[in-house]
Amino acid sequence: MHNQFAFTAGRTGTWRISSIDAVRGAGLEPAAGLDITDLSATPLVREQGSAPAWVLLGTVSNVRYATRPELTEMRAKQEGLGRPNARRAALIPIKKSAAWWDLAQDERRAIFEETSHHTAIGMEYLPAVARKLFHSRDIGEPFDFLTWFEFAADDAAAFEHMVGRLRATREWTYVEREVDIRLER
Amino acid sequence: MHNQFAFTAGRTGTWRISSIDAVRGAGLEPAAGLDITDLSATPLVREQGSAPAWVLLGTVSNVRYATRPELTEMRAKQEGLGRPNARRAALIPIKKSAAWWDLAQDERRAIFEETSHHTAIGMEYLPAVARKLFHSRDIGEPFDFLTWFEFAADDAAAFEHMVGRLRATREWTYVEREVDIRLER
């Protein structure tokens, strides 16, 4: 499907899974490798005898909170995925509570940015930590978002610092399920 | 799927289709009747020998632009679907341009509300014109939104007036495909 991606975990994969931690709520089955498939280019074919441990789907969509100045700064600073030295990655699926989704747009934006500084925090770690967001809520998936991060081994400490700051925000009080998957290649 | 609805047009249906007009871009095949199916309750089963003219899918999602004061006013004024005297309906599938989706959230909100007064215009016609929005863009559908309206025959002129005002807004310059389907029961 157009703009839809599959994260398939199993015995093998382009990325080697180093850990899967349940940060809040239920975790995910253990697996050794992960592949990312662009479903607009390649249908998701499951080979016989290699049932995946899990498959998470997400869609690349329009921005939901970023303002024009934020987008302009982000696009000027960020670098793409697949940089040769970015051999570490994290996949962090998140589900927010019904209370979050019942908020009005201005209330979500206020918590997201004015209170929790989500965009601003992420911006501080550009271009070291590259990031791509996939939306899953409207396609009936168990998580609302999948965020994929790529960074060099030298930037692993900076990445931990960023994740710690985000988890300490008011926005994160609305997170009811979070799994933290770390990968290498 | 959770929160997903199907609008199935064919030879028969709960609603009788009185017209299908292509307002902008390609139209839809003619059909006589329309059924709305909540796919979380009932799987979409196609009876043999009654292939539908078309099926449009949409998801009930969170609000994207409405602020808390707008939501509060809307919820106080609006009435639900299925009122006994609301025997007229309209289904208006819309697709917006890539230029719209490339805008930042504050730019879309500014055009949607501050410039085009989309929420404010709709509010003026409450509770006469009941309205429900379905999102289709992130599930790979040909339209971005499906909006369903229900009103009494006595309020048909008010509905026309509302649609005319919305189509004259700056927001509508971003609409690249629109079909207007009118129904009765």
Side-chain angles (χ1 to χ4, degrees), chain A residues 1 59 61-69 71 75 101-108 137-140, chain B residues 1 59 61-69 71 75 101-108 137-140:
Chain A
M1 187 194 285
T59 301
S61 188
N62 55 291
V63 300
R64 300 292 161 87
Y65 302 107
T67 62
R68 175 55 55 188
L71 271 189
R75 285 174 184 167
W101 294 112
D102 285 344
L103 294 174
Q105 175 68 21
D106 59 334
E107 294 171 318
R108 277 183 280 112
R137 180 166 188 258
D138 287 345
I139 57 172
Chain B
M1 186 193 285
T59 301
S61 187
N62 56 290
V63 300
R64 301 291 162 88
Y65 302 107
T67 61
R68 174 54 56 187
L71 271 189
R75 285 173 183 166
W101 295 111
D102 287 343
L103 293 174
Q105 175 69 19
D106 59 333
E107 294 170 320
R108 278 183 279 112
R137 181 166 186 259
D138 287 344
I139 56 172

Side-chain angles (χ1 to χ4, degrees), chain B residues 92-165:
Chain B
I92 306 191
I94 275 177
K95 182 181 173 63
K96 285 179 172 169
S97 66
W100 171 262
W101 295 111
D102 287 343
L103 293 174
Q105 175 69 19
D106 59 333
E107 294 170 320
R108 278 183 279 112
R109 160 82 199 175
I111 295 167
F112 186 89
E113 196 49 41
E114 279 77 18
T115 309
S116 297
H117 308 291
H118 189 137
T119 305
I121 291 172
M123 207 99 78
E124 287 182 45
Y125 297 85
L126 292 178
V129 179
R131 171 188 177 286
K132 193 171 172 86
L133 178 68
F134 301 84
H135 292 262
S136 302
R137 181 166 186 259
D138 287 344
I139 56 172
E141 282 281 296
F143 295 95
D144 294 336
F145 311 101
L146 315 173
T147 315
W148 176 260
F149 302 92
E150 282 181 16
F151 46 93
D154 284 352
D155 293 315
F159 177 74
E160 294 308 332
H161 192 243
M162 182 191 79
V163 169
R165 287 174 67 189

Side-chain angles (χ1 to χ4, degrees), chain A residues 92-127:
Chain A
I92 306 192
I94 276 179
K95 182 181 173 64
K96 286 181 173 170
S97 66
W100 171 263
W101 294 112
D102 285 344
L103 294 174
Q105 175 68 21
D106 59 334
E107 294 171 318
R108 277 183 280 112
R109 160 82 199 175
I111 295 167
F112 185 90
E113 196 48 41
E114 279 77 19
T115 309
S116 299
H117 309 290
H118 189 137
T119 304
I121 290 172
M123 207 98 77
E124 285 181 45
Y125 297 86
L126 293 179

Side-chain angles (χ1 to χ4, degrees), chain A residues 50-175:
Chain A
S50 68
W54 40 265
V55 182
L56 297 174
L57 302 176
T59 301
V60 176
S61 188
N62 55 291
V63 300
R64 300 292 161 87
Y65 302 107
T67 62
R68 175 55 55 188
E70 288 167 348
L71 271 189
T72 302
E73 186 182 349
M74 213 182 299
R75 285 174 184 167
K77 282 190 181 170
Q78 74 190 353
E79 293 176 359
L81 301 182
R83 293 169 297 181
N85 70 330
R87 305 185 74 80
R88 300 282 186 94
L91 173 64
I92 306 192
I94 276 179
K95 182 181 173 64
K96 286 181 173 170
S97 66
W100 171 263
W101 294 112
D102 285 344
L103 294 174
Q105 175 68 21
D106 59 334
E107 294 171 318
R108 277 183 280 112
R109 160 82 199 175
I111 295 167
F112 185 90
E113 196 48 41
E114 279 77 19
T115 309
S116 299
H117 309 290
H118 189 137
T119 304
I121 290 172
M123 207 98 77
E124 285 181 45
Y125 297 86
L126 293 179
V129 179
R131 170 189 179 284
K132 192 172 173 87
L133 178 67
F134 301 84
H135 292 262
S136 302
R137 180 166 188 258
D138 287 345
I139 57 172
E141 282 281 296
F143 294 96
D144 294 336
F145 311 100
L146 314 172
T147 314
W148 176 259
F149 302 91
E150 282 181 15
F151 45 93
D154 284 351
D155 292 314
F159 177 73
E160 294 309 330
H161 192 245
M162 182 191 79
V163 169
R165 287 175 66 189
L166 286 169
R167 286 191 183 133
T169 61
R170 184 168 160 224
E171 184 194 349
W172 244 253
T173 64
Y174 291 93
V175 172

